């Protein structure tokens, strides 16, 4: 929804010919709230980076000191997860890792640089993609976080990701996972 896009600061570029969405701009911020760069999606699924992407997507919209953090693999998935949870009356912190998952389960250095923010939450829900790279990265990240966080849950979604669950009308079941 527009409200979800506004929460995350996401903007779109429309076609001058027919008004359809051509590009989606996902902003990334520094610790002071200044925009450092954008991940740009050229529809249907081509990406480029403008500026620097050195943080978790959505971090600027998070409540400090919140109890629970949901981490996804992808900007659209973060927005979908937040939308589904918000519809269920749950205003949790939701962020995305910026550079996707690794088939080898290697955790991105940008994510490692955000460990202090991530571990400031009591509960971490890892809602990475339900594929081999997403689950391997989730397991590795859970191991990294296990010494600093009381509860870590790796979400097993019935679809590939949070975005697909939203598309398939499964929002009410997302918050129960």
């Amino acid at each position: 929804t527009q409200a979800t896009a506004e929460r995350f600061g996401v903007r779109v570029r429309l076609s001058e010919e027919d008004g359809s969405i051509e590009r989606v701009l996902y902003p990334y911020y520094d610790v002071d709230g200044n925009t450092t760069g954008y991940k740009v999606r050229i529809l249907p699924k081509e990406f480029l980076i403008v500026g620097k992407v050195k943080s978790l997507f959505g971090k600027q919209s998070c409540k400090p000191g919140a109890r629970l953090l949901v981490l996804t693999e992808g900007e659209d998935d973060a927005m979908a997860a937040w939308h589904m949870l918000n519809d269920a009356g749950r205003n949790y912190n939701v962020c995305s890792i910026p550079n996707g998952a690794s088939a080898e389960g290697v955790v991105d250095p940008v994510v490692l640089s955000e460990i202090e923010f991530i571990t400031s939450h009591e509960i971490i829900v890892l809602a990475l993609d339900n594929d081999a790279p997403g689950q391997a990265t989730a397991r590795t990240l859970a191991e990294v976080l296990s010494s600093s966080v009381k509860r870590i849950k790796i979400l097993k979604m019935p679809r590939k990701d949070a975005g697909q669950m939203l598309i398939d009308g499964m929002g009410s079941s997302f918050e129960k996972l």
Side-chain angles (χ1 to χ4, degrees):
T1 63
Q2 183 173 343
T4 301
E6 287 174 359
R7 174 185 175 85
F8 286 89
V10 172
R11 301 193 183 283
V12 296
R13 180 175 157 193
L14 303 176
S15 165
E16 290 182 18
E17 294 174 12
D18 63 7
S20 63
I21 297 174
E22 287 183 332
R23 295 175 184 230
V24 182
L25 289 83
Y26 306 96
Y28 282 79
Y29 301 89
D30 64 17
V31 294
D32 297 320
N34 301 309
T35 305
T36 61
Y38 290 88
K39 190 179 287 185
V40 180
R41 180 178 186 163
I42 303 166
L43 295 177
K45 198 167 181 173
E46 180 183 333
F47 292 92
L48 62 96
I49 293 175
V50 176
K52 295 182 180 180
V53 173
K54 299 287 184 189
S55 62
L56 298 173
F57 173 76
K59 181 180 172 184
Q60 82 289 348
S61 66
C62 291
K63 298 173 294 199
R67 184 171 166 253
L68 188 139
L69 172 67
V70 177
L71 278 177
T72 68
E73 180 187 341
E75 296 83 3
D76 287 337
D77 292 330
M79 294 187 338
W82 184 84
H83 179 86
M84 291 184 287
L85 292 167
N86 190 58
D87 275 0
R90 308 214 184 273
N91 191 13
Y92 296 138
N93 284 348
V94 180
C95 294
S96 173
I97 63 175
N99 298 312
S102 157
E104 299 80 28
V106 176
V107 178
D108 186 302
V110 173
V111 176
L112 294 174
S113 75
E114 295 283 2
I115 291 294
E116 187 175 330
F117 167 75
I118 295 169
T119 58
S120 71
H121 298 80
E122 183 180 326
I123 303 168
I124 309 297
V125 177
L126 301 174
L128 277 60
D129 288 4
N130 194 21
D131 58 14
Q135 294 302 294
T137 301
R139 285 189 300 275
T140 303
L141 186 53
E143 289 175 23
V144 169
L145 298 171
S146 65
S147 64
S148 304
V149 177
K150 293 179 184 173
R151 289 180 45 201
I152 301 167
K153 179 178 183 176
I154 298 175
L155 208 58
K156 300 289 185 190
M157 292 178 275
R159 298 291 187 271
K160 180 187 178 289
D161 54 33
Q164 194 60 52
M165 287 188 69
L166 179 62
I167 289 167
D168 291 349
M170 301 179 73
S172 62
S173 62
F174 183 80
E175 64 119 357
K176 296 173 186 164
L177 296 173

